[in-house]
Amino acid sequence: MVDLESEVPPLPPRYRFRDLLLGDQGWQNDDRVQVEFYMNENTFKERLKLFFIKNQRSSLRIRLFNFSLKLLSCLLYIIRVLLENPSQGNEWSHIFWVNRSLPLWGLQVLVALISLFETILLGYLSYKGNIWEQILRIPFILEIINAVPFIISIFWPSLRNLFVPVFLNCWLAKHALENMINDLHRAIQRTQSAMFNQVLILISTLLCLIFTCICGIQHLERIGKKLNLFDSLYFCIVTFSTVGFGDVTPETWSSKLFVVAMICVALVVLPIQFEQLAYLWMERQKSGGNYSRHRAQTEKHVVLCVSSLKIDLLMDFLNEFYAHPRLQDYYVVILCPTEMDVQVRRVLQIPMWSQRVIYLQGSALKDQDLLRAKMDDAEACFILSSRCEVDRTSSDHQTILRAWAVKDFAPNCPLYVQILKPENKFHIKFADHVVCEEEFKYAMLALNCVCPATSTLITLLVHTSRGQEGQQSPEQWQKTYGRCSGNEVYHITLEESTFFAEYEGKSFTYASFHAHKKFGVCLIGVRREDNKNILLNPGPRYIMNATDICFYINITKEENSAFKNQDQQKKSKVSRSFYHGPSRLPVHSIIASMGTVAIDLQDTSCRSASGPTLSLPAEGIKEVRRPSIAPVLEVADTSSIQTCDLLSDQSEDETTADEHVSSNLEYAKGYPPYSPYIGSSPTFCHLLHEKVPFCCLRLDKSCQHNYYEDAKAYGFKNKLIIVAAETAGNGLYNFIVPLRAYYRPKKELNPIVLLLDNPLDDLLRCGVTFAANMVVVDKESTMSAEEDYMADAKTIVNVQTLFRLFSSLSIITELTHPANMRFMQFRAKDCYSLALSKLEKKERERGSNLAFMFRLPFAAGRVFSISMLDTLLYQSFVKDYMISVTRLLLGLDTTPGSGFLCSMKITEDDLWIRTYARLYQKLCSSSGDIPIGIYRTESQKLTTSESQISISVEEWEDTKDCKEQGHHRGNHRNSTSSDQSDHPLLRRKSMQWARRLSRKGPKHSGKTAEKITQQRLNLYRRSERQELAELVKNRMKHLGLSTVGYDEMNDHQGTLSYILINPSPDTRLELNDVVYLIRPDPLAYLPNNEPSHKNSIQATGQESREETQL
């Protein structure tokens, strides 16, 4: 083996670590030669080129010196003209010869020598083999014209007074200025905008033209009017401005020819400069320019990063962002990679937005674009995903990269990120606030099935509104609904609050009830000062502290409220005799809330999870006095609190012993064993003891374990919830979990059927005829369309088909665009819907952000748009707790000790409570629940005017004829239909006959015509329903399904539903009202001294809460 040390020589001393420590000893005795390498040839020419051209700093100094020389030569020419005495006569010799003093001549010769030497030297250094290229350059020719005559005059003294057009050096000065600016950019390693350079060139060109014209006219008029420099300046300005007064005009043909030449030059040069400037200006308008560093340091701004900016997205952001008073002085910088849309450009030109919104075309992945937006100085950065793309995962990937880029460039800038898919959420865990669209979408769809119109409730809570919508409407429900929609969630510290300060040391339920009774505010949650978790309705055991942060629902926040003392209220007692005292409640409500002599103790025993008990008192007491409600105690009586271990379901179901044993064998409670994606919040749920085989999950196919092929054969006790989706994505986990949460009673758990395709046969097999709810998820494959609003076309038509086939089915769906909600359950001739459409347009003209709220499907909770929740992300900039509160309400997060959203229905047995204030007291004193709103259903009153419904005599006659013919056919041929709509030819002939007859027919009153029109519409509608019902029944018989229970006539056309958020205390309860409740956590009532699951649940929940704080 060859010895490597003998083959490879050692490194020289300067490259060895030992010599770096011991010194450079022995280097002098080394016979090696040090070699220096140069990047350029080490010649005299290359060194000069490096100094004069290649080196930025030295080249900048040379060009600055050259620019100064040219300006000095022009200044010397002006001095020569001013010192010269005008000669008499009109000889041409005055054109070629001038009077030049000896000192002035010496200075001009010196400047000419230096300029010519520098020009020749630079030409030599830049020579590349073509001598004519250097000689025929315009700057070189001008230099020869201005410098060579002065150098010749040194050797030929008689030529010292020869005229030399030195004023042409202004063009050489302009050329030197351009080169100097370029070298300046290279020297400071910073690029100025092209707009600045082009403006500088344009100004210098214009100045050179004017200066050349001034000097040329002055010199040529030496044989004419003898104009001085000021007169020449006046003439040039008047001429170039196209004014042309005519008081100063050139006389000689030479000066006239010079003016013509200068005008031609100006007409050629200036348009070129202006065209380049206009092009750069248009390009800058497209890209948006830069956000000023000075403005970024003196003013506050936020950055909005989107992949494509649509007008709806922009207006939603601006309206919600600037709805808060303290954000009025903020600037919004939009960073978007695409060119500005025409509609967006038109909106941003409105003075209201043009002064506060700045559009920059650029990418968040480029540091230079982030620097243009001054991201490091921004108060926040909003990153929104494009939900209109077919590949939503790809859209999330782009959002993730944008978030990483912003975090890398500006680590201290708060990030507000919108993500589409929940499985991509853990990539942006570092963001301050994250809203996952599919999580919220599926959670709201699920809660809509158990708590009607939860989506409408959440949408109204997260929108900023003044509660002025619908106040101009003639209908009372629209006024009440619009006024209650102004309620939002606010926060305040207890010790600083007028609402809650007096309840320090009291229980939470006591503070919530009395604050609502006294001020009309609804206290829904608290947060300890040393804890970041929000607790919704922690229950009567929770004692309020002075440092607690209170979260409440009200029309406006307390800081903007005015309070009247009792003396002022007593003065207005006469005008408001119906109300009494500072609580502003009706007299009967005050008396009822105080109770009577017999006061029941607070019932804090184990509660039924299905709903609170609102039963009447005993019969003996009822005969003596009217029903009373127990008062809400300041501190809960812990001795009367019974433990209710919800894990064993001791009080959940009222079943027999055998049924109870079987139910316990079927269900267990715990956390789901598998999480579909990283970052999902663990939720305590109902689980099966054993995992069901996958083959048994196919509803339409039998297997070896069961032989059922349709939902009817399974014999489910509860009605079905059918989910029609395109794919079974991970987001469905957030749909199933709220419906299987531990606090839902087992007897109320609805079977869930996932329908991945929805032809009529599959709909009938999965039990659509007896389903409780049909949930239709927006189709991802149709979200990308050539026309934006057509993204919902497939979903809308499918829902309309279901609505026509199964009119009694409760359909819940989600759309991409809120404007498309008007097409849900569409009826072309429904006059009430047309009236609501007019109301929506009026509200939009008044500047409302909730103009769509009066649409009946949205008000009833049948449809919502997930884009409405974009405002949740915008509001979190001001209210950083809104995302956490919304997630708790929807059940996406489960904090130990925090309550959950549920509902109860007002029956006839509950109407003795009468008012919302008494209901509030009853719930707080008995079960500790906090009501937050009412879902009310009323009969639809068609109060339409004659202008909305007009009927002609021809239509009345046609209706009469249809009725008569239908009656005769019904008596003689029962198999045929009673409506002429099935016979187009017969109906057309009948209408023609009716029109001829109507010319002589009597005219009827408006009410009679309206009544007949309604009957006619009912007749047409009934026949169409009968035809559709016959189609469905025939198909069910063909599939071997039973048609029992199929109700083809029942629909919801005669009712309307709406939400009252935090209604006034004296609101009367009505039959079938659904009350939204925040119920305390049942696990919070487990005893602390017993070994139960609570401690492990709290530990696991706290750990998972910290890990998945998204």
Side-chain angles (χ1 to χ4, degrees):
M1 182 175 180
V2 181
D3 190 2
L4 294 178
E5 293 184 357
S6 60
E7 293 294 333
V8 180
L11 292 172
R14 64 168 55 189
Y15 298 109
R16 292 185 299 184
F17 181 72
R18 180 187 65 186
D19 297 300
L20 293 176
L21 298 177
L22 301 179
D24 214 2
Q25 301 175 0
W27 172 252
Q28 292 80 5
N29 299 327
D30 199 344
D31 56 351
R32 293 195 176 110
V33 179
Q34 182 180 3
V35 180
E36 294 183 0
F37 296 94
Y38 295 94
M39 295 181 61
N40 301 308
E41 297 181 8
N42 193 15
T43 60
F44 181 71
K45 180 179 179 180
E46 289 297 331
R47 290 180 181 272
L48 289 177
K49 185 182 295 186
L50 180 65
F51 181 78
F52 280 92
I53 299 176
K54 295 183 178 181
N55 186 280
Q56 293 92 352
R57 297 186 180 275
S58 60
S59 175
L60 177 62
R61 298 189 187 100
I62 296 298
R63 296 188 189 279
L64 181 61
F65 176 73
N66 187 21
F67 177 73
S68 303
L69 281 180
K70 304 307 177 186
L71 291 182
L72 179 60
S73 63
C74 293
L75 181 62
L76 293 177
Y77 178 86
I78 295 175
I79 293 174
R80 196 269 305 166
V81 172
L82 295 176
L83 295 178
E84 184 182 19
N85 293 322
S87 57
Q88 300 296 328
N90 295 327
E91 294 83 3
W92 281 93
S93 60
H94 295 162
I95 300 296
F96 299 102
W97 302 97
V98 294
N99 295 326
R100 185 180 291 117
S101 61
L102 184 61
L104 184 61
W105 172 80
L107 289 175
Q108 288 183 328
V109 169
L110 180 61
V111 170
L113 286 172
I114 298 174
S115 298
L116 183 62
F117 174 75
E118 180 187 6
T119 301
I120 294 175
L121 179 60
L122 292 176
Y124 166 72
L125 296 178
S126 59
Y127 172 69
K128 296 181 180 180
N130 190 351
I131 187 64
W132 293 107
E133 181 182 356
Q134 302 294 328
I135 294 176
L136 297 179
R137 290 188 305 114
I138 294 179
F140 185 81
I141 295 174
L142 290 178
E143 194 68 50
I144 295 298
I145 294 174
N146 293 325
V148 171
F150 286 106
I151 297 175
I152 295 176
S153 64
I154 298 175
F155 307 99
W156 198 344
S158 61
L159 296 178
R160 291 178 181 177
N161 291 327
L162 180 67
F163 170 75
V164 180
V166 183
F167 56 86
L168 295 179
N169 278 333
C170 63
W171 297 97
L172 297 177
K174 171 183 172 292
H175 181 69
L177 179 63
E178 295 176 7
N179 295 332
M180 186 175 63
I181 295 298
N182 296 333
D183 289 339
L184 178 63
H185 293 168
R186 293 168 56 198
I188 63 178
Q189 297 294 324
R190 183 177 177 183
T191 304
Q192 285 286 355
S193 65
M195 179 65 65
F196 171 78
N197 295 343
Q198 193 62 36
V199 169
L200 184 63
I201 293 174
L202 177 62
I203 294 176
S204 59
T205 302
L206 188 60
L207 291 177
C208 290
L209 279 174
I210 295 176
F211 183 75
T212 305
C213 187
I214 291 172
C215 297
I217 291 296
Q218 186 274 333
H219 181 72
L220 293 176
E221 283 297 317
R222 285 164 57 89
I223 58 175
K225 287 186 177 182
K226 309 292 190 297
L227 297 178
N228 54 27
L229 289 176
F230 181 78
D231 293 335
S232 300
L233 173 63
Y234 172 75
F235 170 76
C236 292
I237 297 299
V238 170
T239 302
F240 279 102
S241 63
T242 67
V243 177
F245 290 115
D247 52 347
V248 178
T249 56
E251 289 187 353
T252 62
W253 65 269
S254 57
S255 59
K256 293 179 181 179
L257 182 62
F258 180 77
V259 170
V260 171
M262 292 303 301
I263 291 177
C264 293
V265 172
L267 291 177
V268 173
V269 175
L270 291 182
I272 296 176
Q273 301 290 336
F274 278 113
E275 181 184 3
Q276 295 178 357
L277 182 62
Y279 174 77
L280 291 176
W281 175 258
M282 294 176 62
E283 291 297 322
R284 181 175 181 179
Q285 288 296 106
K286 294 179 181 179
S287 63
N290 297 329
Y291 184 67
S292 170
R293 173 67 66 177
H294 174 72
R295 179 183 292 179
Q297 295 175 352
T298 56
E299 305 286 348
K300 296 181 178 179
H301 76 285
V302 298
V303 181
L304 176 63
C305 295
V306 290
S307 58
S308 61
L309 186 63
K310 302 298 182 182
I311 185 63
D312 293 337
L313 175 66
L314 175 64
M315 296 311 301
D316 288 343
F317 178 83
L318 295 179
N319 290 330
E320 186 63 36
F321 186 81
Y322 285 112
H324 302 277
R326 73 181 186 91
L327 302 181
Q328 297 300 316
D329 295 332
Y330 277 66
Y331 286 88
V332 174
V333 179
I334 301 173
L335 186 61
C336 181
T338 60
E339 187 177 344
M340 191 186 308
D341 187 58
V342 177
Q343 293 181 337
V344 174
R345 186 186 304 276
R346 189 182 301 116
V347 169
L348 294 185
Q349 290 176 351
I350 299 175
M352 181 180 180
W353 307 121
S354 61
Q355 303 299 324
R356 297 188 289 183
V357 182
I358 300 170
Y359 187 93
L360 303 181
Q361 184 178 353
S363 173
L365 272 64
K366 296 181 179 179
D367 286 351
Q368 56 183 0
D369 290 333
L370 294 177
L371 184 63
R372 290 170 54 205
K374 305 301 181 290
M375 186 68 74
D376 49 344
D377 294 327
E379 300 295 322
C381 177
F382 296 89
I383 302 178
L384 305 182
S385 298
S386 176
R387 61 169 55 91
C388 295
E389 293 187 8
V390 178
D391 190 358
R392 295 164 71 85
T393 303
S394 175
S395 179
D396 277 350
H397 293 169
Q398 298 176 17
T399 302
I400 292 170
L401 288 183
R402 290 190 182 97
W404 289 353
V406 173
K407 196 66 178 179
D408 178 71
F409 182 83
N412 298 324
C413 180
L415 278 179
Y416 297 77
V417 184
Q418 178 198 67
I419 207 78
L420 301 179
K421 293 283 189 179
E423 57 266 24
N424 298 321
K425 195 171 61 170
F426 76 102
H427 291 293
I428 51 174
K429 186 179 178 180
F430 55 85
D432 299 84
H433 299 277
V434 177
V435 172
C436 181
E437 180 177 298
E438 285 198 2
E439 277 189 341
F440 284 89
K441 176 177 70 175
Y442 282 106
M444 287 198 297
L445 290 172
L447 284 182
N448 273 355
C449 299
V450 292
C451 298
T454 303
S455 59
T456 305
L457 173 69
I458 298 298
T459 301
L460 296 179
L461 280 178
V462 301
H463 269 79
T464 301
S465 173
R466 298 173 296 174
Q468 301 297 324
E469 287 81 4
Q471 300 309 302
Q472 306 297 328
S473 174
E475 299 199 25
Q476 184 60 36
W477 78 269
Q478 295 174 356
K479 292 181 179 179
T480 309
Y481 173 51
R483 183 171 59 253
C484 292
S485 68
N487 284 276
E488 298 179 43
V489 180
Y490 300 100
H491 75 293
I492 194 171
T493 307
L494 180 69
E495 59 185 355
E496 301 174 357
S497 173
T498 306
F499 290 157
F500 314 111
E502 58 183 300
Y503 307 120
E504 181 182 354
K506 308 293 193 305
S507 67
F508 177 85
T509 52
Y510 180 87
S512 180
F513 166 69
H514 285 275
H516 184 269
K517 173 184 174 182
K518 188 175 182 180
F519 300 104
V521 299
C522 180
L523 178 64
I524 62 171
V526 291
R527 183 175 64 192
R528 294 290 190 193
E529 185 183 17
D530 55 347
N531 193 350
K532 63 180 181 179
N533 291 332
I534 299 174
L535 302 179
L536 296 181
N537 188 13
R541 280 187 170 183
Y542 187 92
I543 305 301
M544 307 291 289
N545 292 337
T547 58
D548 285 351
I549 299 177
C550 303
F551 300 92
Y552 62 95
I553 297 177
N554 196 22
I555 290 290
T556 183
K557 58 182 179 180
E558 182 181 332
E559 293 82 352
N560 298 339
S561 303
F563 301 94
K564 295 182 180 181
N565 54 30
Q566 295 185 4
D567 296 336
Q568 294 176 346
Q569 292 181 356
K570 289 179 180 179
K571 293 180 181 179
S572 59
K573 182 177 180 181
V574 177
S575 60
R576 295 184 293 114
S577 60
F578 181 71
Y579 296 95
H580 176 75
S583 62
R584 303 171 67 180
L585 296 176
V587 177
H588 58 80
S589 297
I590 297 295
I591 298 176
S593 64
M594 295 300 294
T596 56
V597 179
I599 299 178
D600 300 330
L601 293 176
Q602 182 182 11
D603 182 14
T604 54
S605 59
C606 182
R607 301 178 302 278
S608 172
S610 60
T613 302
L614 303 178
S615 59
L616 286 166
E619 293 296 331
I621 302 177
K622 182 178 179 180
E623 295 176 358
V624 179
R625 58 181 176 87
R626 64 185 181 83
S628 62
I629 301 175
V632 183
L633 301 182
E634 296 184 2
V635 180
D637 187 4
T638 56
S639 61
S640 64
I641 297 179
Q642 300 178 4
T643 62
C644 53
D645 190 359
L646 200 70
L647 302 176
S648 60
D649 293 313
Q650 293 178 358
S651 62
E652 193 174 76
D653 300 315
E654 297 176 359
T655 57
T656 62
D658 296 337
E659 291 176 351
H660 187 70
V661 172
S662 63
S663 63
N664 283 338
L665 292 176
E666 184 180 359
Y667 292 106
K669 290 186 177 179
Y671 291 102
Y674 304 105
S675 177
Y677 56 89
I678 301 175
S680 61
S681 179
T683 305
F684 211 52
C685 299
H686 292 281
L687 303 175
L688 293 177
H689 288 283
E690 296 181 0
K691 184 177 180 181
V692 178
F694 181 77
C695 60
C696 297
L697 297 179
R698 291 295 301 267
L699 186 97
D700 56 338
K701 292 185 179 180
S702 60
C703 63
Q704 59 181 352
H705 305 93
N706 64 70
Y707 301 97
Y708 305 138
E709 293 185 356
D710 61 85
K712 190 73 173 180
Y714 280 83
F716 295 119
K717 296 181 180 179
N718 296 331
K719 290 188 175 182
L720 301 173
I721 295 177
I722 303 176
V723 184
E726 192 173 29
T727 56
N730 293 329
L732 281 173
Y733 172 81
N734 298 289
F735 181 86
I736 300 173
V737 166
L739 297 178
R740 295 292 183 266
Y742 70 95
Y743 44 77
R744 306 284 179 202
K746 287 187 296 185
K747 65 179 183 180
E748 296 180 3
L749 297 181
N750 300 90
I752 302 174
V753 178
L754 178 59
L755 184 63
L756 298 182
D757 197 6
N758 55 355
L760 180 59
D761 292 354
D762 292 339
L763 283 171
L764 296 175
R765 286 194 184 97
C766 69
V768 69
T769 56
F770 54 91
N773 292 281
M774 177 78 179
V775 178
V776 181
V777 183
D778 198 5
K779 308 297 183 183
E780 295 184 9
S781 61
T782 61
M783 287 184 177
S784 179
E786 295 181 359
E787 188 176 350
D788 293 336
Y789 289 91
M790 286 296 177
D792 297 319
K794 186 176 181 180
T795 302
I796 292 173
V797 175
N798 288 342
V799 172
Q800 184 71 5
T801 303
L802 291 173
F803 172 67
R804 301 292 293 274
L805 292 176
F806 311 98
S807 58
S808 61
L809 179 63
S810 175
I811 307 174
I812 304 171
T813 188
E814 174 264 337
L815 300 178
T816 303
H817 298 283
N820 290 333
M821 290 191 300
R822 65 185 187 272
F823 301 121
M824 303 306 299
Q825 301 180 5
F826 182 75
R827 299 183 181 94
K829 297 183 179 180
D830 190 353
C831 300
Y832 198 75
S833 298
L834 296 177
L836 292 178
S837 177
K838 295 179 181 179
L839 177 62
E840 178 180 345
K841 295 175 183 177
K842 292 180 180 179
E843 293 296 334
R844 186 175 289 108
E845 291 174 358
R846 296 190 184 102
S848 173
N849 299 336
L850 297 171
F852 51 81
M853 61 177 292
F854 294 104
R855 291 287 183 176
L856 295 183
F858 173 77
R862 303 299 180 191
V863 64
F864 70 96
S865 175
I866 196 61
S867 62
M868 299 174 183
L869 286 187
D870 292 346
T871 58
L872 177 63
L873 190 66
Y874 311 152
Q875 273 204 2
S876 60
F877 180 68
V878 178
K879 305 175 183 178
D880 57 353
Y881 51 84
M882 277 306 299
I883 296 179
S884 300
V885 171
T886 307
R887 292 181 67 88
L888 289 173
L889 287 175
L890 295 177
L892 292 173
D893 289 339
T894 54
T895 302
S898 178
F900 58 93
L901 181 66
C902 62
S903 63
M904 60 165 289
K905 193 171 185 178
I906 300 297
T907 61
E908 292 183 358
D909 296 334
D910 303 326
L911 291 179
W912 65 275
I913 301 178
R914 295 194 303 277
T915 63
Y916 186 76
R918 287 168 54 84
L919 175 67
Y920 208 117
Q921 180 179 356
K922 176 64 178 176
L923 292 173
C924 289
S925 61
S926 60
S927 58
D929 297 342
I930 303 297
I932 62 174
I934 296 176
Y935 177 75
R936 177 161 294 175
T937 302
E938 296 179 354
S939 60
Q940 182 175 341
K941 299 178 181 179
L942 296 175
T943 57
T944 52
S945 61
E946 295 181 1
S947 61
Q948 294 173 339
I949 297 181
S950 60
I951 180 170
S952 62
V953 180
E954 294 87 344
E955 292 175 342
W956 178 80
E957 293 291 344
D958 185 22
T959 305
K960 182 178 178 180
D961 180 69
C962 291
K963 287 185 177 180
E964 292 177 354
Q965 295 184 15
H967 177 69
H968 291 297
R969 283 198 307 269
N971 292 334
H972 298 284
R973 288 178 291 180
N974 296 328
S975 60
T976 59
S977 174
S978 62
D979 187 19
Q980 292 185 5
S981 61
D982 298 332
H983 306 280
L985 181 60
L986 182 60
R987 185 175 67 251
R988 191 181 305 113
K989 293 181 178 179
S990 175
M991 292 179 63
Q992 293 175 358
W993 172 82
R995 290 191 186 97
R996 291 195 299 267
L997 186 63
S998 63
R999 296 188 180 95
K1000 301 180 181 180
K1003 295 187 177 180
H1004 298 268
S1005 62
K1007 293 184 179 179
T1008 305
E1010 183 176 338
K1011 182 177 179 181
I1012 293 174
T1013 302
Q1014 191 64 34
Q1015 292 176 356
R1016 182 188 183 189
L1017 292 176
N1018 292 335
L1019 184 64
Y1020 275 85
R1021 192 179 297 120
R1022 185 169 62 249
S1023 68
E1024 183 181 79
R1025 290 201 210 105
Q1026 288 178 350
E1027 183 180 356
L1028 294 175
E1030 193 70 23
L1031 171 66
V1032 173
K1033 285 184 177 181
N1034 291 335
R1035 196 60 194 166
M1036 292 178 69
K1037 292 178 182 178
H1038 177 75
L1039 296 174
L1041 303 176
S1042 175
T1043 60
V1044 178
Y1046 176 66
D1047 186 11
E1048 69 275 13
M1049 299 300 293
N1050 183 25
D1051 60 4
H1052 306 284
Q1053 294 187 34
T1055 61
L1056 58 88
S1057 302
Y1058 56 94
I1059 286 180
L1060 303 178
I1061 303 177
N1062 188 28
S1064 60
D1066 57 335
T1067 301
R1068 303 287 296 186
L1069 297 179
E1070 297 182 3
L1071 185 63
N1072 296 327
D1073 279 353
V1074 178
V1075 182
Y1076 298 100
L1077 307 175
I1078 299 181
R1079 184 164 296 164
D1081 184 10
L1083 299 178
Y1085 288 87
L1086 293 176
N1088 295 328
N1089 53 1
E1090 294 182 6
S1092 64
H1093 298 274
K1094 178 186 176 184
N1095 296 331
S1096 62
I1097 291 172
Q1098 287 183 349
T1100 307
Q1102 181 70 20
E1103 180 181 358
S1104 62
R1105 173 79 173 175
E1106 294 176 357
E1107 291 179 356
T1108 61
Q1109 184 72 20
L1110 297 178

